[in-house]
């Protein structure tokens, strides 16, 4: 396997004072082959026929539908349809060039742009322009941070050779645009179910379309831009640095707008932009007293204890003080139930409709000394029980 020499790199950065990231000297950049999905291909500890069936099940007629609530043929029919566009774009160069775009590799589905960069009056004007375009394209959340090599993978994974390959994001692209697309609230309420996997599929498909459109727009302006979804770099620390939210106990990003119900994408670019400031609205302090996700996680993959530097396995980032999910336990649960899970999203008190004023008030007070009361209110008035799939189908929208 290709292991590039470890570059001398500063593990701590000034931005950590704003994000609260605590990165130690023994920090190591992540190798993509250690992602649990990659390990399910090469690591005998994770690889199994059931895991292969889990991935095959995203295509009819391999879905292994059953009579259980939320796992019927119509539930899988919708879930697999929501993944379809993402899968088509993911596979455009899979056989020919060993690229699984959006998951293992950056996207390449771009047309040629303009040869010279458009002359904006200033970075502020360029940023306003970008935000206006992104809004019209449909981006729900957009933040901008500086390129930070700590969160870019050290190596990528080759599906065909099952070996490492170099990361192909140029290091001279100074900015990262992070976008977030919400997952459907009602679908998420039906988790665990194959039906709820539609919220994940739709999140990715919307992400893919919006990422590619914004990236093409930037290239059409004459700047360089590389679109990336789950591949090549860790989206969550970049999203935090781009001011989109904070990280919760369940290791997911929690945003002010959609709580943890979100899928992320990023664009690496040299378009001149103004970076955003990280935000803090009390998530860490709230998670310190709340354990709804750890209590609800069926395989007990989410820690009950304080943040730690000790990883569970190679699938976790080394050298960052944080709550770390046990990826093996989580993935085995997904494989066992034959669909992805987001129970930790469904039960999280920040999983609310923040268009409603009383939920915005709850969020504000949850960031104050009243957080214990806000947790009690959540437990009392938001039991966060699973909704049945037939009920979801019967709902008139
Ligand atoms: S996705 Fe499900 S199994 Fe995985 S950590 Fe969340 S609740 Fe646990
Ligand atoms: S469920 Fe509670 S502890 Fe878990 S991430 Fe949400 S707020 Fe934090």
């Amino acid at each position: 396997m290709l292991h590039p020499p470890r570059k001398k790199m500063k593990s701590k950065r000034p931005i950590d004072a704003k994000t609260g990231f605590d990165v130690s000297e023994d920090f190591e950049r992540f190798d993509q082959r250690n992602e649990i999905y990659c390990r399910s291909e090469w690591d005998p500890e994770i690889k199994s026929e059931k895991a292969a069936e889990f991935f095959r099940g995203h295509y009819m007629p391999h879905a292994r539908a059953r009579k259980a609530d939320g796992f019927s043929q119509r539930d899988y029919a919708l879930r697999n349809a929501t993944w379809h566009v993402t899968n088509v774009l993911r596979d455009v160069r899979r056989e020919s060039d060993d690229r699984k775009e959006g998951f293992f590799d950056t996207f390449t589905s771009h047309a040629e742009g303009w040869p010279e960069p458009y002359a904006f009056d200033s970075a502020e004007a360029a940023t306003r322009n970008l935000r206006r375009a992104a809004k019209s394209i449909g981006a729900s959340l957009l933040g901008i941070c500086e390129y930070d090599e700590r969160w870019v993978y050290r190596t990528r994974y080759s599906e065909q050779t099952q070996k490492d390959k170099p990361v192909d994001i140029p290091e001279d692209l100074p900015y990262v645009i992070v976008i977030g697309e919400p997952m459907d609230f009602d679908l998420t309420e039906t988790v665990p179910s194959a039906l709820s996997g539609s919220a994940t599929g739709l999140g990715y498909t919307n992400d893919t379309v919006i990422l590619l459109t914004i990236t093409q727009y930037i290239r059409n302006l004459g700047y360089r831009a590389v679109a990336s979804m789950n591949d090549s770099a860790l989206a969550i620390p970049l999203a935090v640095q781009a001011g989109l939210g904070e990280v919760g106990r369940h290791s997911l990003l929690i945003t002010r707008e959609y709580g943890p119900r979100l899928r992320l994408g990023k664009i690496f670019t040299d378009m001149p932009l103004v970076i955003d400031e990280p935000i803090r609205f009390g998530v860490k302090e709230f998670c310190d007293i709340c354990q709804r996700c750890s209590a609800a996680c069926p395989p007990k993959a989410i820690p009950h204890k304080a943040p730690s530097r000790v990883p569970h396995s190679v699938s976790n980032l080394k050298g960052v003080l944080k709550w770390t999910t046990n990826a093996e336990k989580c993935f085995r649960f997904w494989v066992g139930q034959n669909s992805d899970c987001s129970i930790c999203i469904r039960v999280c008190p920040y999983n609310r409709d923040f268009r409603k004023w009383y939920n915005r008030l709850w969020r504000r007070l949850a960031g104050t000394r009243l957080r214990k009361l806000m947790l009690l209110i959540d437990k009392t008035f938001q039991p966060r029980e699973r909704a049945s799939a037939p009920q979801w189908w019967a709902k008139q929208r």
Side-chain angles (χ1 to χ4, degrees):
M1 288 193 179
L2 164 79
H3 289 282
R6 295 204 182 279
K7 278 200 298 183
K8 193 85 185 139
M9 185 191 68
K10 274 193 180 158
S11 55
K12 291 184 191 298
R13 302 278 161 94
I15 189 143
D16 298 347
K18 295 177 182 172
T19 59
F21 291 159
D22 185 343
V23 185
S24 52
E25 288 301 319
D26 63 344
F27 170 80
E28 285 178 10
R29 285 166 71 189
F30 195 71
D31 289 304
Q32 190 181 38
R33 76 186 127 86
N34 290 327
E35 238 185 35
I36 200 78
Y37 311 110
C38 301
R39 286 177 66 200
S40 75
E41 293 186 357
W42 67 263
D43 185 347
E45 203 193 314
I46 307 297
K47 188 175 176 174
S48 68
E49 184 45 37
K50 273 195 108 176
E53 275 182 4
F54 165 82
F55 289 113
R56 262 199 309 277
H58 284 71
Y59 299 89
M60 301 306 220
H62 309 289
R64 291 196 296 141
R66 52 191 193 268
K67 282 203 175 129
D69 176 335
F71 294 90
S72 72
Q73 185 193 340
R74 70 172 171 175
D75 299 314
Y76 280 106
L78 180 59
R79 187 201 69 175
N80 290 2
T82 62
W83 278 91
H84 177 68
V85 173
T86 302
N87 289 347
V88 168
L89 284 162
R90 180 197 65 192
D91 292 347
V92 282
R93 293 176 60 188
R94 190 168 179 177
E95 292 300 319
S96 59
D97 298 297
D98 187 19
R99 295 185 69 85
K100 204 170 166 184
E101 302 197 355
F103 291 89
F104 292 179
D105 300 273
T106 54
F107 288 101
T108 55
S109 304
H110 305 302
E112 194 180 343
W114 196 259
E116 295 297 324
Y118 181 88
F120 286 104
D121 289 343
S122 62
E124 286 77 9
T127 307
R128 277 198 302 276
N129 196 285
L130 172 76
R131 288 190 186 282
R132 181 70 189 93
K135 194 169 181 195
S136 74
I137 289 165
S140 301
L141 294 182
L142 186 150
I144 301 161
C145 65
E146 284 176 342
Y147 176 90
D148 187 331
E149 69 172 337
R150 294 177 301 177
W151 316 127
V152 178
Y153 293 159
R154 190 170 67 116
T155 53
R156 284 182 306 150
Y157 171 74
S158 155
E159 189 181 43
Q160 286 178 12
T161 66
Q162 300 195 343
K163 293 196 165 113
D164 296 336
K165 58 184 185 182
V167 171
D168 60 356
I169 298 173
E171 289 187 12
D172 61 343
L173 297 178
Y175 301 111
V176 188
I177 301 163
V178 186
I179 66 159
E181 295 311 314
M183 294 162 68
D184 184 276
F185 187 88
D186 292 346
L187 280 170
T188 310
E189 281 199 311
T190 71
V191 72
S193 66
L195 177 63
S196 67
S198 311
T200 313
L202 278 173
Y204 279 131
T205 294
N206 292 338
D207 227 13
T208 303
V209 171
I210 289 163
L211 268 175
L212 288 176
T213 311
I214 296 176
T215 301
Q216 189 61 46
Y217 167 69
I218 296 171
R219 293 164 76 101
N220 290 351
L221 285 172
Y223 296 98
R224 290 186 293 158
V226 179
S228 159
M229 200 162 64
N230 268 10
D231 57 275
S232 308
L234 300 168
I236 291 177
L238 290 168
V240 172
Q241 291 183 187
L244 294 190
E246 294 184 60
V247 185
R249 182 185 289 277
H250 46 29
S251 310
L252 301 171
L253 183 76
I254 296 184
T255 62
R256 289 170 54 86
E257 295 81 359
Y258 306 105
R261 227 176 44 257
L262 211 74
R263 293 287 142 183
L264 297 168
K266 52 237 186 253
I267 301 166
F268 295 81
T269 185
D270 61 357
M271 182 174 176
L273 294 170
V274 178
I275 58 168
D276 290 299
E277 288 290 310
I279 55 167
R280 306 287 286 271
F281 56 104
V283 168
K284 159 79 177 58
E285 294 75 10
F286 194 89
C287 288
D288 281 338
I289 60 156
C290 169
Q291 304 198 338
R292 293 192 81 175
C293 53
S294 13
C297 172
K300 304 291 168 225
I302 303 172
H304 285 271
K305 293 184 182 160
S308 156
R309 286 184 204 284
V310 184
H312 295 289
S313 70
V314 290
S315 286
N316 303 127
L317 194 59
K318 193 178 162 202
V320 182
L321 181 68
K322 64 189 188 68
W323 285 297
T324 295
T325 298
N326 185 318
E328 287 83 353
K329 285 186 178 178
C330 177
F331 182 68
R332 285 194 185 110
F333 180 73
W334 292 23
V335 168
Q337 69 158 8
N338 195 34
S339 192
D340 63 301
C341 159
S342 39
I343 293 173
C344 44
I345 293 180
R346 189 191 85 215
V347 302
C348 180
Y350 284 97
N351 179 28
R352 291 166 174 268
D353 181 353
F354 289 111
R355 289 170 304 179
K356 301 196 166 123
W357 68 267
Y358 50 87
N359 285 330
R360 292 197 297 276
L361 179 64
W362 180 92
R363 180 186 63 204
R364 193 160 73 78
L365 297 177
T368 69
R369 286 184 189 165
L370 292 177
R371 60 183 68 90
K372 271 194 180 155
L373 177 62
M374 292 302 110
L375 179 57
L376 182 66
I377 286 175
D378 190 81
K379 283 181 173 164
T380 310
F381 298 106
Q382 306 268 352
R384 300 185 178 281
E385 278 162 9
R386 177 185 185 272
S388 88
Q391 267 172 13
W392 183 89
W393 282 107
K395 254 188 196 172
Q396 296 294 320
R397 306 204 107 199

